[in-house]
Every structure is written in C-alpha cells, then in structure tokens.
C-alpha cells in the first residue's frame, strides 16, 4: 500500500500548514492497528484517542475546591469622588511640577550669561551710584547757612 499522502500530510504538519480536517485524517490513520513500521514512530503523537472528553457540569466547583476557594460572586467596589478624581489631581501635580522646573531652567537665559568681569564692574558702579544718591540725603540734616565770623576774630592782618 502507498502511504505517500500520509507522508505529505506529515510534512505539512511539521511545517504547520495542515488544516483541522487533515489533522483529523492523521489521527484516524494512526489510530488503526495496521500502521506501517516506517510510520510507527509517529503513532504515539497522533493516537490520543478519538473519544471526546467532556468536563462536566461540576468542573468549576471541583477546580475551585482543589485550589481552596469558594464560588462566590465578586463584590462591588465602592468608588468615592476623591478616588475617581485622583488621576486628575495627579496629572495636575505633574503639570505644575513640569512648569516649575521649566521656569527654573529658563531663568538663566532670561538674565543672560555675561562676562564675570563686566558683572563685577556693573556691581561696583551700582555701589558708587548708591553712595552718590545717599550723600545728599544725609547732608539734608546739616544747615546750609554760612556761619558769620565771630567779632573777636579779625579778618584783617595788622
């Protein structure tokens, strides 16, 4: 008997190109008793039995019992307004932090990167200007009247 069709199906099976019907043909072929010796090594792969197993109605209960949980309905979670708005608060906080960092990073460019010697000269000039501005203010308390010479002193040389 020629088994080229089965060998072609096996080649397509190894490449993952078979359909469900072709796999059913392979299972039916390998479930027979008269499988040739050259294909006998594949019999254990496809001879998994043609009978369908059903899980049964109590399958869920048996699995839950085996893992130690009871079959319960899920409880409803109470969601408050604060927990509902929490993502919005978090987003606002992130935006505020980013804006603060952005403003702090922008500050050096707003004031410029001047030469330190020029900055020192500007600082010294501001100090001199401050002294010149404050001097007349301090002098306002002093009277500007010229003192008349005392009569004992003579302004003439004798």
């Amino acid at each position: 008997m020629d088994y080229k069709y089965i060998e072609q199906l096996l080649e397509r099976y190894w490449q993952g190109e078979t359909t469900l019907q072709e796999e059913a043909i392979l299972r039916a072929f390998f479930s027979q008793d008269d499988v040739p010796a050259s294909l006998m090594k594949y019999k254990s792969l496809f001879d998994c039995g043609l009978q369908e197993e059903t899980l049964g109605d109590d399958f869920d209960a048996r699995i839950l019992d085996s893992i130690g949980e009871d079959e319960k309905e899920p409880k409803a979670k109470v969601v408050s307004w604060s927990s509902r708005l929490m993502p919005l608060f978090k987003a606002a906080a992130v935006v505020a932090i980013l804006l603060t960092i952005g403003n702090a990073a922008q500050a050096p460019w707003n004031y410029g990167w001047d030469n330190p010697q020029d900055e020192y000269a500007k600082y010294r000039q501001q100090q001199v200007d401050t002294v010149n501005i404050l001097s007349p203010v301090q002098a306002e308390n002093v009277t500007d009247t010229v003192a008349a010479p005392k009569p004992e002193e003579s302004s003439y040389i004798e």
Side-chain angles (χ1 to χ4, degrees), residues 97-112:
I97 289 171
L98 289 177
L99 288 176
T100 303
I101 290 173
N103 287 340
Q106 186 65 30
W109 281 276
N110 289 344
Y111 298 119

mmCIF file of all heavy atoms in Angstrom, residues 97-112:
data_model
loop_
_atom_site.group_PDB
_atom_site.id
_atom_site.type_symbol
_atom_site.label_atom_id
_atom_site.label_comp_id
_atom_site.label_asym_id
_atom_site.label_seq_id
_atom_site.Cartn_x
_atom_site.Cartn_y
_atom_site.Cartn_z
ATOM 1 N N ILE A 97 4.567 70.610 38.391
ATOM 2 C CA ILE A 97 5.996 70.342 38.593
ATOM 3 C C ILE A 97 6.778 70.638 37.317
ATOM 4 O O ILE A 97 7.845 71.260 37.355
ATOM 5 C CB ILE A 97 6.207 68.892 39.058
ATOM 6 C CG1 ILE A 97 5.710 68.738 40.498
ATOM 7 C CG2 ILE A 97 7.668 68.479 38.964
ATOM 8 C CD1 ILE A 97 5.672 67.312 40.982
ATOM 9 N N LEU A 98 6.241 70.220 36.179
ATOM 10 C CA LEU A 98 6.943 70.474 34.917
ATOM 11 C C LEU A 98 7.034 71.967 34.616
ATOM 12 O O LEU A 98 8.078 72.443 34.145
ATOM 13 C CB LEU A 98 6.242 69.741 33.777
ATOM 14 C CG LEU A 98 6.387 68.221 33.778
ATOM 15 C CD1 LEU A 98 5.575 67.615 32.646
ATOM 16 C CD2 LEU A 98 7.838 67.818 33.668
ATOM 17 N N LEU A 99 5.981 72.709 34.885
ATOM 18 C CA LEU A 99 6.031 74.151 34.663
ATOM 19 C C LEU A 99 7.029 74.830 35.594
ATOM 20 O O LEU A 99 7.759 75.736 35.185
ATOM 21 C CB LEU A 99 4.637 74.760 34.831
ATOM 22 C CG LEU A 99 3.628 74.439 33.712
ATOM 23 C CD1 LEU A 99 2.273 75.007 34.055
ATOM 24 C CD2 LEU A 99 4.123 74.966 32.386
ATOM 25 N N THR A 100 7.079 74.389 36.838
ATOM 26 C CA THR A 100 8.038 74.957 37.789
ATOM 27 C C THR A 100 9.464 74.675 37.360
ATOM 28 O O THR A 100 10.319 75.564 37.380
ATOM 29 C CB THR A 100 7.776 74.382 39.196
ATOM 30 O OG1 THR A 100 6.425 74.660 39.562
ATOM 31 C CG2 THR A 100 8.731 74.980 40.207
ATOM 32 N N ILE A 101 9.721 73.465 36.962
ATOM 33 C CA ILE A 101 11.071 73.116 36.512
ATOM 34 C C ILE A 101 11.410 73.870 35.233
ATOM 35 O O ILE A 101 12.538 74.343 35.065
ATOM 36 C CB ILE A 101 11.178 71.585 36.313
ATOM 37 C CG1 ILE A 101 11.127 70.893 37.677
ATOM 38 C CG2 ILE A 101 12.459 71.211 35.587
ATOM 39 C CD1 ILE A 101 11.051 69.383 37.590
ATOM 40 N N GLY A 102 10.441 74.005 34.345
ATOM 41 C CA GLY A 102 10.677 74.750 33.112
ATOM 42 C C GLY A 102 10.995 76.205 33.382
ATOM 43 O O GLY A 102 11.900 76.782 32.773
ATOM 44 N N ASN A 103 10.271 76.835 34.309
ATOM 45 C CA ASN A 103 10.555 78.229 34.657
ATOM 46 C C ASN A 103 11.910 78.367 35.328
ATOM 47 O O ASN A 103 12.637 79.322 35.081
ATOM 48 C CB ASN A 103 9.457 78.779 35.563
ATOM 49 C CG ASN A 103 8.179 79.037 34.799
ATOM 50 O OD1 ASN A 103 8.193 79.169 33.585
ATOM 51 N ND2 ASN A 103 7.076 79.096 35.507
ATOM 52 N N ALA A 104 12.258 77.415 36.188
ATOM 53 C CA ALA A 104 13.555 77.477 36.852
ATOM 54 C C ALA A 104 14.685 77.272 35.848
ATOM 55 O O ALA A 104 15.744 77.891 35.959
ATOM 56 C CB ALA A 104 13.630 76.418 37.953
ATOM 57 N N ALA A 105 14.469 76.433 34.868
ATOM 58 C CA ALA A 105 15.501 76.202 33.860
ATOM 59 C C ALA A 105 15.594 77.378 32.902
ATOM 60 O O ALA A 105 16.645 77.624 32.317
ATOM 61 C CB ALA A 105 15.203 74.919 33.095
ATOM 62 N N GLN A 106 14.526 78.139 32.733
ATOM 63 C CA GLN A 106 14.515 79.269 31.817
ATOM 64 C C GLN A 106 15.163 80.503 32.428
ATOM 65 O O GLN A 106 15.639 81.374 31.707
ATOM 66 C CB GLN A 106 13.070 79.588 31.422
ATOM 67 C CG GLN A 106 12.928 80.646 30.360
ATOM 68 C CD GLN A 106 13.493 80.220 29.029
ATOM 69 O OE1 GLN A 106 13.500 79.051 28.703
ATOM 70 N NE2 GLN A 106 13.983 81.168 28.265
ATOM 71 N N ALA A 107 15.224 80.596 33.744
ATOM 72 C CA ALA A 107 15.709 81.789 34.424
ATOM 73 C C ALA A 107 17.119 82.197 34.002
ATOM 74 O O ALA A 107 17.357 83.380 33.755
ATOM 75 C CB ALA A 107 15.631 81.597 35.940
ATOM 76 N N PRO A 108 18.092 81.309 33.901
ATOM 77 C CA PRO A 108 19.429 81.765 33.489
ATOM 78 C C PRO A 108 19.438 82.388 32.097
ATOM 79 O O PRO A 108 20.194 83.318 31.844
ATOM 80 C CB PRO A 108 20.272 80.487 33.514
ATOM 81 C CG PRO A 108 19.567 79.578 34.450
ATOM 82 C CD PRO A 108 18.125 79.913 34.317
ATOM 83 N N TRP A 109 18.590 81.941 31.194
ATOM 84 C CA TRP A 109 18.579 82.512 29.851
ATOM 85 C C TRP A 109 17.885 83.872 29.849
ATOM 86 O O TRP A 109 18.168 84.698 29.006
ATOM 87 C CB TRP A 109 17.885 81.559 28.883
ATOM 88 C CG TRP A 109 18.794 80.452 28.486
ATOM 89 C CD1 TRP A 109 19.730 80.481 27.505
ATOM 90 C CD2 TRP A 109 18.877 79.168 29.072
ATOM 91 N NE1 TRP A 109 20.392 79.284 27.455
ATOM 92 C CE2 TRP A 109 19.890 78.452 28.393
ATOM 93 C CE3 TRP A 109 18.205 78.530 30.099
ATOM 94 C CZ2 TRP A 109 20.226 77.155 28.724
ATOM 95 C CZ3 TRP A 109 18.546 77.241 30.424
ATOM 96 C CH2 TRP A 109 19.544 76.567 29.735
ATOM 97 N N ASN A 110 16.995 84.097 30.790
ATOM 98 C CA ASN A 110 16.332 85.401 30.865
ATOM 99 C C ASN A 110 17.306 86.485 31.309
ATOM 100 O O ASN A 110 17.222 87.617 30.880
ATOM 101 C CB ASN A 110 15.148 85.352 31.818
ATOM 102 C CG ASN A 110 14.005 84.548 31.260
ATOM 103 O OD1 ASN A 110 13.958 84.279 30.073
ATOM 104 N ND2 ASN A 110 13.091 84.150 32.114
ATOM 105 N N TYR A 111 18.219 86.142 32.213
ATOM 106 C CA TYR A 111 19.165 87.120 32.734
ATOM 107 C C TYR A 111 20.448 87.171 31.918
ATOM 108 O O TYR A 111 21.204 88.103 32.007
ATOM 109 C CB TYR A 111 19.490 86.815 34.193
ATOM 110 C CG TYR A 111 18.282 86.899 35.073
ATOM 111 C CD1 TYR A 111 17.829 85.805 35.773
ATOM 112 C CD2 TYR A 111 17.556 88.086 35.177
ATOM 113 C CE1 TYR A 111 16.697 85.877 36.563
ATOM 114 C CE2 TYR A 111 16.424 88.164 35.968
ATOM 115 C CZ TYR A 111 16.010 87.057 36.655
ATOM 116 O OH TYR A 111 14.898 87.127 37.438
ATOM 117 N N GLY A 112 20.715 86.194 31.136
ATOM 118 C CA GLY A 112 21.889 86.192 30.269
ATOM 119 C C GLY A 112 23.112 85.629 30.962
ATOM 120 O O GLY A 112 23.202 85.562 32.190
#
